[in-house]
Amino acid sequence: MHQSPFVPAGDWQGRPFEPAQSQPPENLMPWLAYTGSLTAALKQLSGGDFSVRVLGQSWQLPRAEECRALNLNRRSRALVREVLLLGCGQPWVYARSVLPLRSLQGKSRNLRSLDSRPLGELLFSEPGIRRGEIEFNQLRRNPDLQAQGLCSEGDNVWGRRSIFWLRGKPLLVAEAFLTHFRPDGPPIAPTNQ
């Protein structure tokens, strides 16, 4: 059975954060709230030294909170894809995408075979793509899983998720920013985006 390297530590929440809640680091908030293509912004930040490492991709039963977000029956299977986005040779972002079967039909069938291509790049190149609200959460590292490139991670990382609507059908994308990601400023949208 596949195990994810990170799982949500609590409920996903929108902004603004409640005063009693822990807050993301100030330098990370512009990245967490960024509505443009994270892939394009990471490519820009890395000077083009960017790659995708696929950790796993298989048909699974999504987590209960993912089913609720996607309005899926609890027994519905979805294509779950987990990747690391590497910048300058370092793991910067862990991403988990949940693609329901009904969302992978017709013109969207090509999303079943992404290999090491970034999903974000394809989504943002699609005309009419719509992004739902961005939600935030701390994600807890799975101590039982020694995924390559993630052994030096702390116990918690900050993440975000949102539903994308492609041709009217939902896909859930969650991203967690890892300890090697140390931006010195906000994301800069590429000029060709």
Side-chain angles (χ1 to χ4, degrees), residues 3-16:
Q3 290 189 6
S4 297
F6 293 96
V7 294
D11 292 331
W12 292 90
Q13 60 202 11
R15 282 178 76 184

Side-chain angles (χ1 to χ4, degrees), residues 6 20 30 49 65 81 87 95-96 105 134-135 137 142 162:
F6 293 96
D49 185 0
E65 44 97 9
R81 174 179 162 89
R96 177 180 167 96
Q105 297 173 355
I134 296 177
E135 298 178 306
N137 202 349
N142 181 346
S162 52

Side-chain angles (χ1 to χ4, degrees), residues 8-65:
D11 292 331
W12 292 90
Q13 60 202 11
R15 282 178 76 184
F17 293 100
E18 298 295 326
Q21 294 172 321
S22 68
Q23 306 282 320
E26 199 171 307
N27 68 329
L28 197 54
M29 199 60 223
W31 289 86
L32 284 165
Y34 185 56
T35 58
S37 168
L38 180 62
T39 300
L42 292 173
K43 282 183 175 181
Q44 178 115 344
L45 183 67
S46 68
D49 185 0
F50 177 86
S51 61
V52 176
R53 181 186 304 152
V54 178
L55 299 175
Q57 178 172 310
S58 62
W59 291 97
Q60 301 175 26
L61 296 174
R63 298 177 185 139
E65 44 97 9

